[in-house]
Amino acid sequence: MAYLFKHSTLGTLINYYRTGRLSFTRRPAKSISSSSSSDDVTTDTDANEGPLEGKISANHLVTWSGDSDPSNPQNWPFWQKVVITAILSTWTFAVYVGSSIYTPSQEDVVEVFGVTHVEGALGIALYVLGYGLGSLLFSPLSEVPAIGRNPPYAISGFLFVILCVPTSLVNNYPGLMVLRFLLGLMASPCLATTGASLGDMWGQRHFPFAIAIWAMVASVGPACGPTISSFAVEAMGWRFSSWELLIISAPIYVTMVSCMPETSGPTILYYEARRRREETGNMELMSEAEIKQKDLKVGSLLWDAIIKPWEMNLKDPALLFTTLYLGLAYGVFYSFFESLPLVYPVYYSFNATSTGLVFLAVCPACLLGLTAQCLYLKYHVIPRLNDNNSELEDHLVPGMIASPLIPIGLFIYAWTARPSTHWIAPTIGLALVIVGIYAIAQSIFLYIPNIYPRYAASIFAANSLARSVLAFAAILVARPMFKAIGVGGGVSLLGGLMVLCVVGIVALWKWGLVLRKRSKFAVA
């Protein structure tokens, strides 16, 4: 634990205050000669991505000391990786809870501030939109070696915790909505960066399992929000949902900044090169990431982060489909926050707290999805990796198999949500939808970084924005739609759209390789 604290955000600040130097290495550096060499070298990475711009002397390239270098996050002890994964997952849970913890307060907000139900729902919608927009900012920042992963987590997390206080005290509707948006914006590094942080540490064999666990937590978080706050809001008023968010997030944030070291390999090497330049006076000592990014312009960074992913979506039908599919799936997920209050209290006489408990059906559904995903990875994907007999489309198989569960669950929910049918029937439909959404998200999250490795971080940020925008729209449109054509009609309409997506995911699995060969962005 000493190393985790030493190179955590807090430990790094303390060390910088004492020594005036930033360093993340685990071992003392070898003595370095300031002399140069004329031998031009390239690394394994260079072989995959092309030669570095401007060759560098072997004596000047700062890289890992070998395959077992303990400073390389891939070589960290297993228990440390588990601890860091647990910290990131619990922080993800905390900020995702924030999206829906407001739900039990919504009716009181409508009454207290005299606004419509759609305006009350903005408290959820703006939070969701905020963490989609924030991903476009924090994702490229975390890829800059001089910044790394931890500063975005630490700064945004601090602001997130602080913003919980005025959100709990605000006395006007516009102020409440602005603060809810800002909370979502500060929650975005979990969407933008956690996947990359896990990839920094876990190798090819274990990374899919880490993503599976993290995605399950991300799905359970919003589902637990109404349950967590409904009892407190009923007893202590609508403001207490924001106080609860502070109570949940503050201890996790303190743990994160105290126990999570920097995981970005390029950042670790960047500061190692910087330290060696200071010690030797040899300004030619540089890390590979520095060489690649020394001429990088802000405009190029913004282009790759904001414009390039959308250009790729327009030119690559496979990528466009995955973006729309996940967006629609998340829209369906968040539409339940508007439909459940129209079903369980109306048809089954549930009170607000009992309706909040219905969301807990998501927990066993996600656990079932996680179990199935891990079994598929262990017994099918990993053995094929060992035999070098794996196609990238294999990642789509769980999603393809489970995707029919989404429209099936939606139709069950739509057609059984009536007083003459027991409340467990629509709840089972809800659970089936969640299993399907989890499987689809897992498949796409593993598929995208393999076919678009160069642009994976920015694509995920754009994908996150698309999901957030469609979820934002679903939250605002769902209740008027359900009021106009009924819950059965509205949910059946969503089910029909998801049937089309089932056809699309099967087509992508069958012809994905052909599409990759035609795409100038994808790995064929």
Side-chain angles (χ1 to χ4, degrees):
M1 292 299 291
Y3 176 79
L4 295 182
F5 175 76
K6 179 180 179 181
H7 293 304
S8 68
T9 302
L10 183 57
T12 298
L13 290 175
I14 293 173
N15 184 62
Y16 182 76
Y17 176 77
R18 294 172 56 189
T19 65
R21 176 182 298 163
L22 293 175
S23 176
F24 302 101
T25 184
R26 284 191 174 218
R27 58 192 302 177
K30 297 180 180 179
S31 59
I32 312 163
S33 171
S34 61
S35 62
S36 64
S37 169
S38 60
D39 296 330
D40 292 326
V41 298
T42 58
T43 64
D44 291 338
T45 304
D46 304 333
N48 293 330
E49 299 183 3
L52 295 173
E53 292 186 15
K55 293 183 178 179
I56 185 170
S57 165
N59 287 349
H60 295 155
L61 182 63
V62 178
T63 185
W64 306 119
S65 62
D67 292 340
S68 59
D69 189 334
S71 296
N72 187 342
Q74 295 279 326
N75 298 325
W76 289 353
F78 181 80
W79 71 268
Q80 292 188 8
K81 296 180 183 180
V82 170
V83 168
I84 296 168
T85 301
I87 291 172
L88 288 171
S89 296
T90 52
W91 179 244
T92 299
F93 176 83
V95 298
Y96 267 100
V97 160
S99 66
S100 60
I101 203 169
Y102 165 89
T103 303
S105 300
Q106 183 175 327
E107 293 300 324
D108 287 340
V109 168
V110 169
E111 183 178 344
V112 170
F113 295 113
V115 295
T116 66
H117 283 286
V118 172
E119 290 172 321
L122 274 173
I124 306 174
L126 287 172
Y127 188 104
V128 173
L129 181 64
Y131 65 56
L133 290 172
S135 296
L136 293 179
L137 169 65
F138 290 109
S139 181
L141 283 179
S142 71
E143 298 294 331
V144 177
I147 298 175
R149 314 289 188 208
N150 273 3
Y153 286 133
I155 296 172
S156 65
F158 176 77
L159 293 174
F160 182 89
V161 172
I162 294 300
L163 284 169
C164 289
V165 177
T167 306
S168 305
L169 301 174
V170 65
N171 285 316
N172 61 85
Y173 171 78
L176 176 62
M177 294 301 106
V178 169
L179 288 166
R180 286 288 298 173
F181 174 78
L182 292 176
L183 277 171
L185 194 70
M186 295 302 110
S188 60
C190 282
L191 284 171
T193 312
T194 299
S197 297
L198 296 176
D200 293 336
M201 302 180 296
W202 296 105
Q204 188 179 23
R205 291 172 57 86
H206 297 105
F207 175 68
F209 294 96
I211 285 290
I213 294 171
W214 172 63
M216 185 197 72
V217 173
S219 300
V220 167
C224 290
T227 304
I228 290 172
S229 64
S230 59
F231 293 94
V233 168
E234 185 178 58
M236 307 182 70
W238 68 271
R239 296 180 183 277
F240 202 76
S241 60
S242 296
W243 288 120
E244 281 190 305
L245 185 57
L246 174 64
I247 293 168
I248 293 169
S249 61
I252 300 173
Y253 173 75
V254 172
T255 303
M256 181 173 65
V257 297
S258 302
C259 299
M260 192 173 76
E262 177 60 56
T263 63
S264 172
T267 298
I268 295 171
L269 291 174
Y270 170 86
Y271 284 103
E272 175 65 7
R274 184 174 173 178
R275 182 186 67 82
R276 295 189 187 187
R277 288 196 295 269
E278 292 175 356
E279 289 183 352
T280 65
N282 185 351
M283 295 296 104
E284 296 184 13
L285 292 170
M286 298 181 73
S287 68
E288 182 181 341
E290 285 182 282
I291 300 166
K292 289 182 176 180
Q293 296 193 4
K294 65 179 180 180
D295 297 323
L296 184 66
K297 306 297 183 183
V298 174
S300 299
L301 183 65
L302 292 175
W303 175 270
D304 284 345
I306 299 175
I307 306 300
K308 191 68 175 181
W310 301 110
E311 176 192 358
M312 293 172 65
N313 271 278
L314 292 175
K315 294 181 178 180
D316 192 319
L319 181 59
L320 179 62
F321 170 73
T322 59
T323 300
L324 292 177
Y325 195 177
L326 268 186
L328 286 172
Y330 272 70
V332 167
F333 179 85
Y334 276 97
S335 71
F336 281 112
F337 292 104
E338 295 301 311
S339 68
L340 263 65
L342 298 177
V343 170
Y344 290 89
V346 176
Y347 298 150
Y348 305 112
S349 300
F350 281 26
N351 57 26
T353 54
S354 299
T355 302
L357 291 173
V358 173
F359 283 103
L360 292 183
V362 172
C363 297
C366 286
L367 185 60
L368 177 61
L370 173 65
T371 303
Q373 175 74 5
C374 289
L375 289 174
Y376 176 77
L377 291 170
K378 181 178 180 180
Y379 292 108
H380 184 78
V381 175
I382 301 302
R384 288 169 66 87
L385 286 175
N386 294 338
D387 296 337
N388 294 319
N389 190 31
S390 176
E391 290 289 347
L392 297 182
E393 281 67 36
D394 285 349
H395 290 303
L396 296 175
V397 172
M400 183 180 64
I401 294 173
S403 60
L405 295 177
I406 302 177
I408 289 173
L410 287 171
F411 289 133
I412 291 175
Y413 181 86
W415 297 344
T416 62
R418 59 196 63 192
S420 59
T421 306
H422 193 277
W423 62 266
I424 196 63
T427 307
I428 291 173
L430 168 62
L432 291 176
V433 171
I434 299 304
V435 173
I437 292 176
Y438 175 83
I440 283 295
Q442 279 295 287
S443 296
I444 293 176
F445 285 164
L446 293 175
Y447 185 60
I448 287 177
N450 282 287
I451 59 175
Y452 309 100
R454 180 180 176 185
Y455 301 103
S458 295
I459 289 173
F460 275 131
N463 193 293
S464 171
L465 177 59
R467 297 198 310 269
S468 298
V469 168
L470 287 174
F472 173 86
I475 293 168
L476 298 183
V477 172
R479 184 171 291 232
M481 179 180 69
F482 295 145
K483 290 281 190 180
I485 62 177
V487 172
V491 175
S492 295
L493 175 62
L494 296 176
L497 293 174
M498 300 313 291
V499 168
L500 298 177
C501 291
V502 172
V503 176
I505 194 71
V506 173
L508 182 59
W509 171 76
K510 186 173 183 178
W511 292 295
L513 178 59
V514 176
L515 292 173
R516 283 192 282 121
K517 288 181 178 179
R518 293 180 178 178
S519 173
K520 67 178 183 179
F521 304 111
V523 175

Short mmCIF file of all heavy atoms in Angstrom, two decimals, residues 190-234:
data_model
loop_
_atom_site.label_atom_id
_atom_site.label_comp_id
_atom_site.label_asym_id
_atom_site.label_seq_id
_atom_site.Cartn_x
_atom_site.Cartn_y
_atom_site.Cartn_z
N CYS A 190 -15.12 9.24 -15.55
CA CYS A 190 -15.39 7.80 -15.41
C CYS A 190 -15.77 7.18 -16.74
O CYS A 190 -15.40 6.04 -17.04
CB CYS A 190 -16.51 7.58 -14.39
SG CYS A 190 -15.97 7.74 -12.70
N LEU A 191 -16.52 7.92 -17.55
CA LEU A 191 -16.86 7.44 -18.88
C LEU A 191 -15.68 7.55 -19.82
O LEU A 191 -15.41 6.66 -20.62
CB LEU A 191 -18.03 8.24 -19.44
CG LEU A 191 -19.42 7.95 -18.90
CD1 LEU A 191 -20.39 9.00 -19.40
CD2 LEU A 191 -19.88 6.58 -19.35
N ALA A 192 -14.95 8.67 -19.74
CA ALA A 192 -13.93 8.97 -20.73
C ALA A 192 -12.63 8.23 -20.50
O ALA A 192 -11.91 7.93 -21.45
CB ALA A 192 -13.66 10.48 -20.73
N THR A 193 -12.31 7.90 -19.25
CA THR A 193 -10.95 7.49 -18.93
C THR A 193 -10.83 6.14 -18.25
O THR A 193 -9.78 5.50 -18.33
CB THR A 193 -10.28 8.57 -18.03
OG1 THR A 193 -10.51 9.86 -18.60
CG2 THR A 193 -8.80 8.36 -17.91
N THR A 194 -11.84 5.66 -17.55
CA THR A 194 -11.70 4.43 -16.78
C THR A 194 -11.32 3.25 -17.66
O THR A 194 -10.46 2.44 -17.30
CB THR A 194 -12.98 4.12 -16.00
OG1 THR A 194 -13.25 5.18 -15.09
CG2 THR A 194 -12.84 2.82 -15.23
N GLY A 195 -11.94 3.12 -18.83
CA GLY A 195 -11.58 2.03 -19.72
C GLY A 195 -10.12 2.06 -20.09
O GLY A 195 -9.44 1.03 -20.13
N ALA A 196 -9.59 3.28 -20.35
CA ALA A 196 -8.17 3.42 -20.67
C ALA A 196 -7.30 3.08 -19.47
O ALA A 196 -6.24 2.46 -19.60
CB ALA A 196 -7.89 4.83 -21.16
N SER A 197 -7.72 3.48 -18.28
CA SER A 197 -6.95 3.17 -17.07
C SER A 197 -6.86 1.67 -16.85
O SER A 197 -5.80 1.14 -16.47
CB SER A 197 -7.61 3.82 -15.84
OG SER A 197 -7.60 5.23 -15.95
N LEU A 198 -7.96 0.96 -17.07
CA LEU A 198 -7.93 -0.50 -16.93
C LEU A 198 -7.04 -1.12 -17.98
O LEU A 198 -6.29 -2.07 -17.71
CB LEU A 198 -9.35 -1.05 -17.04
CG LEU A 198 -10.33 -0.61 -15.93
CD1 LEU A 198 -11.72 -1.15 -16.22
CD2 LEU A 198 -9.85 -1.08 -14.56
N GLY A 199 -7.08 -0.57 -19.20
CA GLY A 199 -6.21 -1.08 -20.26
C GLY A 199 -4.74 -0.84 -19.98
O GLY A 199 -3.88 -1.60 -20.45
N ASP A 200 -4.42 0.22 -19.23
CA ASP A 200 -3.03 0.48 -18.86
C ASP A 200 -2.43 -0.66 -18.04
O ASP A 200 -1.25 -0.97 -18.16
CB ASP A 200 -2.93 1.77 -18.02
CG ASP A 200 -3.26 3.01 -18.82
OD1 ASP A 200 -3.14 2.98 -20.06
OD2 ASP A 200 -3.67 4.01 -18.19
N MET A 201 -3.26 -1.27 -17.19
CA MET A 201 -2.76 -2.26 -16.23
C MET A 201 -2.95 -3.70 -16.68
O MET A 201 -2.06 -4.54 -16.51
CB MET A 201 -3.47 -2.09 -14.88
CG MET A 201 -3.35 -0.74 -14.24
SD MET A 201 -4.23 -0.72 -12.66
CE MET A 201 -5.92 -0.99 -13.21
N TRP A 202 -4.13 -3.99 -17.22
CA TRP A 202 -4.48 -5.38 -17.51
C TRP A 202 -4.09 -5.75 -18.93
O TRP A 202 -4.34 -5.00 -19.87
CB TRP A 202 -5.98 -5.59 -17.32
CG TRP A 202 -6.45 -5.39 -15.91
CD1 TRP A 202 -7.14 -4.32 -15.42
CD2 TRP A 202 -6.26 -6.27 -14.80
NE1 TRP A 202 -7.40 -4.47 -14.09
CE2 TRP A 202 -6.87 -5.67 -13.67
CE3 TRP A 202 -5.63 -7.50 -14.65
CZ2 TRP A 202 -6.87 -6.26 -12.41
CZ3 TRP A 202 -5.63 -8.10 -13.39
CH2 TRP A 202 -6.24 -7.49 -12.30
N GLY A 203 -3.48 -6.92 -19.08
CA GLY A 203 -3.10 -7.41 -20.38
C GLY A 203 -4.29 -7.94 -21.16
O GLY A 203 -5.44 -7.90 -20.71
N GLN A 204 -4.00 -8.46 -22.35
CA GLN A 204 -5.06 -8.89 -23.26
C GLN A 204 -5.96 -9.96 -22.66
O GLN A 204 -7.15 -9.99 -22.92
CB GLN A 204 -4.43 -9.41 -24.55
CG GLN A 204 -5.43 -9.71 -25.66
CD GLN A 204 -4.76 -10.19 -26.93
OE1 GLN A 204 -3.64 -10.70 -26.89
NE2 GLN A 204 -5.43 -10.03 -28.05
N ARG A 205 -5.40 -10.83 -21.82
CA ARG A 205 -6.18 -11.93 -21.27
C ARG A 205 -7.12 -11.48 -20.17
O ARG A 205 -8.21 -12.04 -20.00
CB ARG A 205 -5.24 -13.01 -20.72
CG ARG A 205 -4.47 -13.77 -21.79
CD ARG A 205 -3.44 -14.69 -21.16
NE ARG A 205 -4.06 -15.63 -20.23
CZ ARG A 205 -4.59 -16.80 -20.58
NH1 ARG A 205 -4.56 -17.17 -21.84
NH2 ARG A 205 -5.14 -17.59 -19.68
N HIS A 206 -6.72 -10.48 -19.39
CA HIS A 206 -7.52 -10.08 -18.22
C HIS A 206 -8.34 -8.82 -18.44
O HIS A 206 -9.28 -8.57 -17.70
CB HIS A 206 -6.60 -9.88 -17.01
CG HIS A 206 -5.89 -11.12 -16.57
ND1 HIS A 206 -4.55 -11.34 -16.81
CD2 HIS A 206 -6.35 -12.22 -15.94
CE1 HIS A 206 -4.20 -12.52 -16.31
NE2 HIS A 206 -5.27 -13.07 -15.79
N PHE A 207 -7.97 -8.03 -19.44
CA PHE A 207 -8.67 -6.76 -19.66
C PHE A 207 -10.18 -6.94 -19.88
O PHE A 207 -10.99 -6.20 -19.30
CB PHE A 207 -8.03 -6.02 -20.84
CG PHE A 207 -8.75 -4.77 -21.23
CD1 PHE A 207 -8.75 -3.66 -20.39
CD2 PHE A 207 -9.42 -4.68 -22.45
CE1 PHE A 207 -9.42 -2.49 -20.76
CE2 PHE A 207 -10.09 -3.53 -22.82
CZ PHE A 207 -10.08 -2.44 -21.97
N PRO A 208 -10.62 -7.92 -20.69
CA PRO A 208 -12.07 -8.08 -20.87
C PRO A 208 -12.83 -8.37 -19.58
O PRO A 208 -13.97 -7.93 -19.41
CB PRO A 208 -12.17 -9.27 -21.84
CG PRO A 208 -10.88 -9.29 -22.57
CD PRO A 208 -9.87 -8.85 -21.55
N PHE A 209 -12.19 -9.09 -18.64
CA PHE A 209 -12.85 -9.38 -17.37
C PHE A 209 -12.97 -8.10 -16.53
O PHE A 209 -14.00 -7.87 -15.88
CB PHE A 209 -12.06 -10.43 -16.59
CG PHE A 209 -12.04 -11.78 -17.24
CD1 PHE A 209 -10.98 -12.17 -18.04
CD2 PHE A 209 -13.09 -12.67 -17.06
CE1 PHE A 209 -10.97 -13.41 -18.66
CE2 PHE A 209 -13.09 -13.92 -17.66
CZ PHE A 209 -12.02 -14.29 -18.47
N ALA A 210 -11.93 -7.26 -16.56
CA ALA A 210 -11.97 -5.99 -15.82
C ALA A 210 -13.07 -5.09 -16.38
O ALA A 210 -13.82 -4.46 -15.62
CB ALA A 210 -10.61 -5.30 -15.88
N ILE A 211 -13.17 -5.02 -17.71
CA ILE A 211 -14.21 -4.21 -18.34
C ILE A 211 -15.59 -4.74 -18.00
O ILE A 211 -16.54 -3.98 -17.77
CB ILE A 211 -14.00 -4.18 -19.87
CG1 ILE A 211 -12.83 -3.27 -20.23
CG2 ILE A 211 -15.26 -3.71 -20.58
CD1 ILE A 211 -13.09 -1.80 -20.01
N ALA A 212 -15.73 -6.08 -17.95
CA ALA A 212 -17.02 -6.69 -17.63
C ALA A 212 -17.49 -6.28 -16.23
O ALA A 212 -18.66 -5.95 -16.03
CB ALA A 212 -16.93 -8.21 -17.74
N ILE A 213 -16.57 -6.30 -15.27
CA ILE A 213 -16.92 -5.92 -13.89
C ILE A 213 -17.26 -4.44 -13.82
O ILE A 213 -18.25 -4.03 -13.20
CB ILE A 213 -15.76 -6.27 -12.95
CG1 ILE A 213 -15.58 -7.79 -12.89
CG2 ILE A 213 -16.00 -5.70 -11.55
CD1 ILE A 213 -14.33 -8.23 -12.15
N TRP A 214 -16.43 -3.62 -14.45
CA TRP A 214 -16.67 -2.17 -14.43
C TRP A 214 -18.00 -1.82 -15.07
O TRP A 214 -18.76 -1.00 -14.56
CB TRP A 214 -15.52 -1.44 -15.14
CG TRP A 214 -15.77 0.02 -15.32
CD1 TRP A 214 -15.91 0.96 -14.34
CD2 TRP A 214 -15.92 0.71 -16.57
NE1 TRP A 214 -16.14 2.21 -14.91
CE2 TRP A 214 -16.14 2.08 -16.27
CE3 TRP A 214 -15.87 0.32 -17.91
CZ2 TRP A 214 -16.32 3.04 -17.26
CZ3 TRP A 214 -16.05 1.29 -18.89
CH2 TRP A 214 -16.27 2.62 -18.56
N ALA A 215 -18.31 -2.46 -16.20
CA ALA A 215 -19.58 -2.18 -16.88
C ALA A 215 -20.78 -2.61 -16.04
O ALA A 215 -21.82 -1.96 -16.07
CB ALA A 215 -19.60 -2.89 -18.23
N MET A 216 -20.63 -3.70 -15.29
CA MET A 216 -21.72 -4.12 -14.43
C MET A 216 -21.99 -3.07 -13.35
O MET A 216 -23.14 -2.70 -13.08
CB MET A 216 -21.40 -5.46 -13.76
CG MET A 216 -22.57 -6.01 -12.93
SD MET A 216 -22.12 -7.30 -11.76
CE MET A 216 -21.24 -6.37 -10.53
N VAL A 217 -20.92 -2.56 -12.76
CA VAL A 217 -21.07 -1.52 -11.73
C VAL A 217 -21.71 -0.27 -12.34
O VAL A 217 -22.58 0.37 -11.72
CB VAL A 217 -19.70 -1.18 -11.11
CG1 VAL A 217 -19.80 0.01 -10.17
CG2 VAL A 217 -19.14 -2.38 -10.37
N ALA A 218 -21.29 0.08 -13.57
CA ALA A 218 -21.85 1.26 -14.23
C ALA A 218 -23.34 1.09 -14.51
O ALA A 218 -24.09 2.07 -14.51
CB ALA A 218 -21.09 1.53 -15.53
N SER A 219 -23.78 -0.14 -14.74
CA SER A 219 -25.20 -0.39 -14.98
C SER A 219 -26.00 -0.42 -13.69
O SER A 219 -27.14 0.05 -13.65
CB SER A 219 -25.37 -1.73 -15.72
OG SER A 219 -24.71 -1.73 -16.96
N VAL A 220 -25.40 -0.95 -12.63
CA VAL A 220 -26.10 -1.05 -11.35
C VAL A 220 -26.25 0.32 -10.70
O VAL A 220 -27.26 0.59 -10.03
CB VAL A 220 -25.34 -2.03 -10.42
CG1 VAL A 220 -25.84 -1.92 -8.99
CG2 VAL A 220 -25.49 -3.46 -10.93
N GLY A 221 -25.28 1.22 -10.92
CA GLY A 221 -25.31 2.53 -10.28
C GLY A 221 -26.60 3.29 -10.49
O GLY A 221 -27.28 3.66 -9.51
N PRO A 222 -26.99 3.58 -11.75
CA PRO A 222 -28.24 4.32 -11.95
C PRO A 222 -29.47 3.59 -11.40
O PRO A 222 -30.42 4.23 -10.95
CB PRO A 222 -28.32 4.43 -13.48
CG PRO A 222 -26.93 4.27 -13.96
CD PRO A 222 -26.28 3.33 -13.01
N ALA A 223 -29.44 2.24 -11.43
CA ALA A 223 -30.59 1.48 -10.93
C ALA A 223 -30.74 1.61 -9.42
O ALA A 223 -31.86 1.56 -8.90
CB ALA A 223 -30.44 0.01 -11.32
N CYS A 224 -29.62 1.75 -8.73
CA CYS A 224 -29.68 1.84 -7.26
C CYS A 224 -30.03 3.24 -6.77
O CYS A 224 -30.41 3.39 -5.60
CB CYS A 224 -28.33 1.42 -6.66
SG CYS A 224 -27.98 -0.35 -6.81
N GLY A 225 -29.89 4.25 -7.62
CA GLY A 225 -30.13 5.62 -7.19
C GLY A 225 -31.50 5.85 -6.57
O GLY A 225 -31.60 6.36 -5.44
N PRO A 226 -32.59 5.47 -7.25
CA PRO A 226 -33.92 5.69 -6.66
C PRO A 226 -34.12 4.95 -5.35
O PRO A 226 -34.78 5.47 -4.43
CB PRO A 226 -34.87 5.17 -7.75
CG PRO A 226 -34.10 5.26 -9.02
CD PRO A 226 -32.68 4.96 -8.64
N THR A 227 -33.58 3.73 -5.25
CA THR A 227 -33.74 2.96 -4.01
C THR A 227 -33.00 3.62 -2.87
O THR A 227 -33.50 3.71 -1.74
CB THR A 227 -33.22 1.53 -4.21
OG1 THR A 227 -33.90 0.93 -5.31
CG2 THR A 227 -33.45 0.70 -2.96
N ILE A 228 -31.78 4.10 -3.15
CA ILE A 228 -30.97 4.71 -2.11
C ILE A 228 -31.63 5.96 -1.53
O ILE A 228 -31.61 6.18 -0.32
CB ILE A 228 -29.56 5.05 -2.66
CG1 ILE A 228 -28.76 3.77 -2.93
CG2 ILE A 228 -28.80 5.96 -1.71
CD1 ILE A 228 -27.45 4.00 -3.65
N SER A 229 -32.23 6.77 -2.41
CA SER A 229 -32.72 8.07 -1.93
C SER A 229 -34.21 8.11 -1.62
O SER A 229 -34.67 9.04 -0.95
CB SER A 229 -32.41 9.15 -2.98
OG SER A 229 -33.10 8.88 -4.18
N SER A 230 -34.98 7.14 -2.07
CA SER A 230 -36.44 7.25 -1.94
C SER A 230 -36.88 7.31 -0.47
O SER A 230 -37.75 8.12 -0.11
CB SER A 230 -37.13 6.08 -2.64
OG SER A 230 -36.71 4.84 -2.11
N PHE A 231 -36.31 6.47 0.38
CA PHE A 231 -36.71 6.47 1.79
C PHE A 231 -36.31 7.78 2.48
O PHE A 231 -37.08 8.34 3.26
CB PHE A 231 -36.08 5.27 2.51
CG PHE A 231 -36.62 3.95 2.05
CD1 PHE A 231 -35.97 3.24 1.06
CD2 PHE A 231 -37.77 3.41 2.59
CE1 PHE A 231 -36.46 2.01 0.63
CE2 PHE A 231 -38.28 2.20 2.17
CZ PHE A 231 -37.61 1.48 1.18
N ALA A 232 -35.08 8.26 2.18
CA ALA A 232 -34.61 9.48 2.81
C ALA A 232 -35.40 10.69 2.34
O ALA A 232 -35.73 11.59 3.13
CB ALA A 232 -33.12 9.68 2.51
N VAL A 233 -35.70 10.74 1.04
CA VAL A 233 -36.47 11.87 0.51
C VAL A 233 -37.87 11.89 1.11
O VAL A 233 -38.40 12.95 1.45
CB VAL A 233 -36.53 11.79 -1.04
CG1 VAL A 233 -37.56 12.76 -1.59
CG2 VAL A 233 -35.16 12.07 -1.62
N GLU A 234 -38.47 10.72 1.27
CA GLU A 234 -39.80 10.65 1.86
C GLU A 234 -39.79 11.16 3.30
O GLU A 234 -40.73 11.83 3.73
CB GLU A 234 -40.29 9.20 1.83
CG GLU A 234 -41.72 9.04 2.32
CD GLU A 234 -42.19 7.59 2.23
OE1 GLU A 234 -41.53 6.72 2.83
OE2 GLU A 234 -43.19 7.35 1.54
#
